[in-house]
């Protein structure tokens, strides 16, 4: 089912509005998960190939629309939600709309492997949590947020 959903992203509505990033985000961002009832793909390579085909489909649609700017299709693993997410924006890879730090990954495979290896999507194991700190200790330290690893593919006509 996950592979089907990835393929369908290439046919979903697509907004490329450089002056309105919110519209792009709301229209072009998709959350994809695979529950036990949906069955997991047999390999990360299948998922990577599906995303690469989706990027090629979006690239072709953008050309047909006559959009002449920069556009990026990108994929990341949202660990908190237990989902793979993807979006398209009229931005270069170094301007992706993430609140925190993101690191552009050269290969999608490790991102997909992390998603597929997650046996409890959206759950955080107790062993992954730090010991509880008192209120005064929490106020003195800022939480460390791991950068989001994002795979990108140029889909615009301008690079």
């Amino acid at each position: 089912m996950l592979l089907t959903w990835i393929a369908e992203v290439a046919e979903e509505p697509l907004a490329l509005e450089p002056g309105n990033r919110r519209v792009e985000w709301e229209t072009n961002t998709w959350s994809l998960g695979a529950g036990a009832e949906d069955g997991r793909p047999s390999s990360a390579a299948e998922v990577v190939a599906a995303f690469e085909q989706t990027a090629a489909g979006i690239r072709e649609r953008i050309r047909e629309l006559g959009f002449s700017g920069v556009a990026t299709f990108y994929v990341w693993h949202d660990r908190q939600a237990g989902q793979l997410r993807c979006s398209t924006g009229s931005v270069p890879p170094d301007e992706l709309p993430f609140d925190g730090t993101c690191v552009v990954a050269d290969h999608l495979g490790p991102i997909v492997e992390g998603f597929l290896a997650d046996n409890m999507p959206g759950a955080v194991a107790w062993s992954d949590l730090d010991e509880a700190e008192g209120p005064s200790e929490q106020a003195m330290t800022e939480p460390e947020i791991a950068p989001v690893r994002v795979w990108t593919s140029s889909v615009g006509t301008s690079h």
Side-chain angles (χ1 to χ4, degrees):
M1 195 67 172
L2 178 63
L3 298 177
T4 301
W5 291 339
I6 294 168
E8 289 173 352
V9 167
E11 304 302 321
E12 293 293 340
L14 180 65
L16 294 170
E17 298 188 28
N20 195 339
R21 302 278 191 241
R22 177 175 290 286
V23 167
E24 288 186 346
W25 179 261
E26 290 173 357
T27 305
N28 302 340
T29 303
W30 301 98
S31 301
L32 309 163
E37 68 278 2
D38 297 327
R40 293 272 186 171
S42 60
S43 72
E46 286 180 312
V47 177
V48 168
F51 274 120
E52 289 172 343
Q53 288 176 331
T54 294
I58 290 172
R59 185 177 301 110
E60 184 61 32
R61 285 182 64 198
I62 288 172
R63 285 193 176 111
E64 289 171 1
L65 290 171
F67 181 77
S68 61
V70 173
T72 303
F73 174 73
Y74 52 104
V75 179
W76 71 100
H77 175 201
D78 183 333
R79 289 188 205 183
Q80 287 182 318
Q83 299 170 331
L84 282 173
R85 294 193 177 182
C86 62
S87 191
T88 304
S90 58
V91 295
D94 61 347
E95 294 181 23
L96 296 176
F98 288 95
D99 289 335
T101 305
C102 74
V103 175
V104 175
D106 293 332
H107 304 285
L108 179 54
I111 295 169
V112 171
E113 288 166 4
F115 167 74
L116 293 175
D118 189 352
N119 293 326
M120 295 177 55
V124 178
W126 283 106
S127 60
D128 291 342
L129 298 174
D130 291 331
E131 282 190 36
E133 299 174 341
S136 62
E137 291 176 80
Q138 289 176 355
M140 294 186 332
T141 60
E142 300 238 351
E144 276 190 45
I145 299 173
V148 176
R149 292 179 44 85
V150 182
W151 174 79
T152 64
S153 178
S154 176
V155 293
T157 56
S158 175
H159 299 284

